[in-house]
Amino acid sequence: MTTSTTDTSPAPAAGRRSWLRDHSELGVCVLLLALGVLVLTDALTMDVDIAQRGPVGPKTVPVVVGIGLLVVAALLAVDVLRGGRGQAESGEDVDLSEPADWRTVLLLTGVFLGAAVLIEPLGFPVAGALLFWGAAFALGSRRPDRDPLIAAVVSFVTYAVFNNLLGVPLPGGPLMGVL
């Protein structure tokens, strides 16, 4: 006499999802691995035309950083697969049951993209001021008497430090002759 049995075990897909949820830190490992490979590939294919004195050249630091990223990715993967779990900080006050604030995320994304588009025609001082003011507004500051002024000062000081003191040329835009 044969009887049919019904399978009451959970579907393999549900088991995989549960395993991935328990080992979600492996996503960080994959990101670190990809970043390490990218850095190493870029460093090893770098064209160096300057005369090099000694063993340390322009490729040294990127190669060390790339190798470090690969080592950290491997160590983290081993730790996660052995059961290691990341601990939330005890001081975090994030309520994970609340939905994400997509309005703020979209406002910040728009501000950053707008600054990237405007930096060339308007220059860093103006685009930076708009970036700093827009970020303050997106994050909840509602002081129209103070925020634009602070944003302009921060932007001009940043421009002066990078352009004049550090020698990193930033586009000045229409204000190039004034600054």
Side-chain angles (χ1 to χ4, degrees):
M1 187 180 262
T2 60
T3 59
S4 66
T5 59
T6 57
D7 186 20
T8 58
S9 64
R16 256 185 264 129
R17 271 187 253 133
S18 174
W19 187 88
L20 286 174
R21 187 176 297 120
D22 291 340
H23 297 87
S24 61
E25 291 92 348
L26 290 175
V28 176
C29 299
V30 171
L31 179 68
L32 290 173
L33 178 72
L35 194 58
V37 169
L38 178 70
V39 169
L40 277 176
T41 303
D42 195 39
L44 295 176
T45 59
M46 184 185 305
D47 187 26
V48 180
D49 291 335
I50 61 171
Q52 179 178 330
R53 295 184 188 195
V56 177
K59 291 183 177 183
T60 305
V61 171
V63 167
V64 169
V65 169
I67 291 171
L69 285 167
L70 295 178
V71 168
V72 168
L75 291 174
L76 181 59
V78 168
D79 180 54
V80 169
L81 292 174
R82 287 185 175 174
R85 303 257 327 149
Q87 297 280 331
E89 289 185 33
S90 60
E92 287 186 19
D93 59 352
V94 177
D95 185 6
L96 297 177
S97 65
E98 291 293 319
D101 185 5
W102 288 108
R103 178 183 178 274
T104 301
V105 171
L106 292 174
L107 279 173
L108 282 173
T109 302
V111 166
F112 283 116
L113 290 175
V117 169
L118 295 175
I119 196 167
E120 196 60 43
L122 297 180
F124 183 84
V126 175
L130 292 172
L131 171 71
F132 295 136
W133 174 78
F137 181 83
L139 294 173
S141 181
R142 300 293 188 265
R143 297 284 309 265
D145 58 328
R146 177 187 72 181
D147 291 345
L149 179 63
I150 292 172
V153 169
V154 169
S155 181
F156 281 103
V157 168
T158 303
Y159 176 80
V161 167
F162 276 87
N163 199 55
N164 300 335
L165 298 177
L166 298 176
V168 178
L170 295 174
L175 298 175
M176 186 61 95
V178 178
L179 299 175

